[in-house]
Amino acid sequence: MLAVAVIGGGTAFLSRAKAKAAQPETTYTTATAEKRSITNSLIGSGILEPANSYTVTTLVSGEVLSDTFEEGDIVEKDQLLYTIDSSDVSTTESQAQTSYSQAQTSYEQAVKAKYPSADISGTVSEVYVSNGDTVSAGAEIMKIAASNDLSIDFQFSYANDGDFYVGQPAKIYINGYAGYLDGTVAQVGGSSIANGTGMKMTTVRVTAKNPGLVTSATIGNYTSYGQTTIKVGTGSTITAEASGKITGLTLMPGDSVTSGQKLCTITGDSVDTQITNAKNSLANAKDSVESAQNRLDDYKITSPITGTVVEKDVKTGDNVGTSSNSSNALCIIYDLSYLQMTLNIDELDIDNVAVGQVVNITSDAKEGQTFTGVVTKVSVVGNTSGGTTTYPVTVRIDDTEGLRPGMNVDAEIVLSSADGVLAIPSMAVNRGDTVLITSDSPSAVNALEQEAPEGYVYVQVTTGVSDDSYIEITSGLQEGDTVAYLRAASSGSDMMMGGQKK
């Protein structure tokens, strides 16, 4: 029994010895610390789109009378593109205008009925009512004696209304009268006409004391054309145009009044109702005119943006808004002042993306060329699919020569970069920012008191910018140091001494 036990023990000892001898020797991958450029970036792909696009449609139906462009043309915002037959709507608009004019006249008459006013300038000669009196339509309110001043309309050629102003001095010349009369401009324009020769005339009304026959007038640098008649004022009796009570009357015989001056107010339910109804009718008529005008505008199709016509679906002679053009699409316009694309960035990386970051754009269609873009928008609304959330990032490309909407492109968002910096493979940095280097490396003099494999020492480092392969070393190493790390051959994945990759 003892012999068996000894032999058994020996057998066990020999097995452990063989196992130890069979353990493979550790092999390190080495690299030299050297200067290089490092770029930390995110990679994605997308499809180029125009800065803006618009499908021009129509809200109306009818025959296209004209179009002003061809496919491929550049059109300006608000440029007329199509004109569609609007004869039916034009008639409606004309009728609405007529109704509006009538409603406006009715409202003005209703207001005048409530507020009687002087129809001439002159002097109050008689007052037939007092405040508080109730009057019926047609009742006399007061009489006005006309002014003895002249009211003369002169016509001026080669002049505009803006060349004259109310109150401007005027010189009036009289047949058989030496010299001239001084007058004053009382009214300008409102009745521009053409004389027998087709010459446009501007009318100016001048007031002055009546001296006799008038031949011509000069105002500023202008002299009137031909002779004119003298208008002599007559008396006027003001009557009530509505029933109600007289209020606000302050005029007495002998007082002067001017044409259009408010004389008193007639109050009462009847006159107030008349004004309200007339006002409502005027508002409704105005709405009808605006509606008809807006409908007319719909028959003139303009460009909503400045851009290039990429598709023209309708031309002169076609009918739109019918079964043959049920989509009502007329043309498609692209704003190609710049191109843009959308990248979907993973939620783990989105915090590293910001507006203004540079984006490098490449396309298989433009091999060998790199275009520069910029991040213009980082969405706060993500899209979740399959348990992963991504966020849309908009990239704008201004220099687009050779690029077209619809092209597939690759994009690289540069997060950080450094040129000519000391770098080593990223997998060579261990947890705690230590690096294994050969004992003969220049930086071995700064070795840590940490157990290391024979022929190697650990040193403390400070890191900077990194990419998928390399990491910047800002302190702890120098150019020429040899770093060592383990590489897992079975899977091709990288491993590091002392723990996980930083």
Side-chain angles (χ1 to χ4, degrees), residues 227-428:
Q227 296 182 344
T228 186
T229 58
I230 299 175
K231 297 178 181 178
V232 180
T234 59
S236 175
T237 299
I238 307 301
T239 59
E241 297 183 15
S243 299
K245 183 179 292 186
I246 298 293
T247 61
L249 178 62
T250 60
L251 295 171
M252 300 177 63
D255 288 345
S256 296
V257 294
T258 57
S259 179
Q261 179 180 334
K262 176 183 171 182
L263 303 177
C264 63
T265 302
I266 296 178
T267 62
D269 293 341
S270 176
V271 68
D272 290 342
T273 299
Q274 186 178 359
I275 288 181
T276 299
N277 292 340
K279 187 175 182 179
N280 291 337
S281 296
L282 180 60
N284 291 335
K286 183 179 180 181
D287 289 342
S288 296
V289 170
E290 291 177 350
S291 176
Q293 288 175 338
N294 289 336
R295 287 191 63 197
L296 271 178
D297 290 341
D298 290 338
Y299 286 81
K300 293 182 179 180
I301 312 298
T302 59
S303 177
I305 60 174
T306 296
T308 302
V309 179
V310 297
E311 185 175 316
K312 181 179 180 181
D313 300 311
V314 171
K315 62 183 183 305
T316 299
D318 290 345
N319 287 302
V320 295
T322 62
S323 57
S324 61
N325 185 247
S326 57
S327 67
N328 293 333
L330 306 179
C331 63
I332 298 176
I333 301 173
Y334 279 1
D335 176 3
L336 298 176
S337 56
Y338 63 89
L339 295 177
Q340 59 185 357
M341 64 178 297
T342 300
L343 294 173
N344 293 310
I345 304 299
D346 190 274
E347 59 187 320
L348 300 178
D349 298 316
I350 193 63
D351 285 345
N352 297 319
V353 181
V355 171
Q357 285 176 325
V358 174
V359 183
N360 296 321
I361 309 293
T362 57
S363 171
D364 290 341
K366 297 297 173 183
E367 189 175 354
Q369 290 183 262
T370 299
F371 302 86
T372 301
V374 64
V375 175
T376 58
K377 180 181 179 181
V378 179
S379 178
V380 297
V381 180
N383 302 310
T384 302
S385 177
T388 301
T389 300
T390 59
Y391 291 83
V393 171
T394 303
V395 177
R396 169 172 170 161
I397 308 102
D398 287 305
D399 183 10
T400 62
E401 185 176 357
L403 296 178
R404 296 173 179 267
M407 282 186 175
N408 294 288
V409 294
D410 296 319
E412 177 189 29
I413 301 178
V414 179
L415 302 180
S416 58
S417 63
D419 294 326
V421 297
L422 187 67
I424 61 175
S426 299
M427 64 186 69

Side-chain angles (χ1 to χ4, degrees), residues 63-184:
E63 181 184 355
V64 177
L65 300 181
S66 66
D67 61 69
T68 64
F69 66 97
E70 296 298 333
E71 190 169 299
D73 286 353
I74 296 177
V75 295
E76 299 295 326
K77 186 179 185 300
D78 297 326
Q79 176 180 327
L80 180 65
L81 301 178
Y82 293 99
T83 301
I84 301 173
D85 183 13
S86 61
S87 53
D88 292 343
V89 181
S90 296
T91 301
T92 302
E93 194 270 343
S94 178
Q95 293 171 344
Q97 285 284 8
T98 299
S99 298
Y100 176 74
S101 297
Q102 293 172 346
Q104 192 169 32
T105 299
S106 297
Y107 176 71
E108 292 171 352
Q109 290 174 343
V111 172
K112 184 179 179 182
K114 184 175 179 65
Y115 304 104
S117 59
D119 53 4
I120 62 171
S121 297
T123 303
V124 176
S125 58
E126 299 286 345
V127 178
Y128 302 112
V129 295
S130 300
N131 286 319
D133 289 353
T134 299
V135 296
S136 299
E140 294 183 346
I141 296 175
M142 69 176 61
K143 178 179 276 189
I144 301 173
S147 170
N148 289 325
D149 288 345
L150 294 176
S151 177
I152 311 169
D153 289 344
F154 291 99
Q155 295 175 10
F156 293 86
S157 58
Y158 304 107
N160 298 311
D161 289 357
D163 296 325
F164 310 98
Y165 59 89
V166 174
Q168 185 178 4
K171 296 178 181 179
I172 303 173
Y173 296 90
I174 314 296
N175 270 347
Y177 183 82
Y180 55 84
L181 281 178
D182 288 321
T184 304

Side-chain angles (χ1 to χ4, degrees), residues 7-74:
I7 294 171
T11 302
F13 173 78
L14 291 173
S15 298
R16 286 195 298 271
K18 289 180 180 180
K20 182 176 182 180
Q23 183 176 358
E25 183 179 353
T26 301
T27 302
Y28 297 104
T29 299
T30 60
T32 303
E34 58 185 2
K35 297 289 183 68
R36 65 173 51 245
S37 295
I38 299 177
T39 300
N40 184 15
S41 59
L42 296 175
I43 306 297
S45 60
I47 299 174
L48 293 179
E49 299 176 347
N52 192 8
S53 64
Y54 201 96
T55 299
V56 179
T57 61
T58 175
L59 300 174
V60 299
S61 60
E63 181 184 355
V64 177
L65 300 181
S66 66
D67 61 69
T68 64
F69 66 97
E70 296 298 333
E71 190 169 299
D73 286 353
I74 296 177

Side-chain angles (χ1 to χ4, degrees), residues 26-29 427-428 484-488 493-497:
T26 301
T27 302
Y28 297 104
T29 299
M427 64 186 69
Y485 56 94
L486 291 177
R487 182 187 299 273
S493 61
D494 297 326
M495 299 179 60
M496 295 186 303
M497 297 294 297

Side-chain angles (χ1 to χ4, degrees), residues 164-239:
F164 310 98
Y165 59 89
V166 174
Q168 185 178 4
K171 296 178 181 179
I172 303 173
Y173 296 90
I174 314 296
N175 270 347
Y177 183 82
Y180 55 84
L181 281 178
D182 288 321
T184 304
V185 174
Q187 180 178 322
V188 178
S191 59
S192 296
I193 60 173
N195 67 1
T197 64
M199 184 184 301
K200 183 179 178 182
M201 298 291 178
T202 294
T203 301
V204 178
R205 178 166 295 175
V206 178
T207 58
K209 296 296 182 182
N210 187 0
L213 181 62
V214 177
T215 57
S216 62
T218 62
I219 303 175
N221 296 323
Y222 295 97
T223 300
S224 64
Y225 178 86
Q227 296 182 344
T228 186
T229 58
I230 299 175
K231 297 178 181 178
V232 180
T234 59
S236 175
T237 299
I238 307 301
T239 59

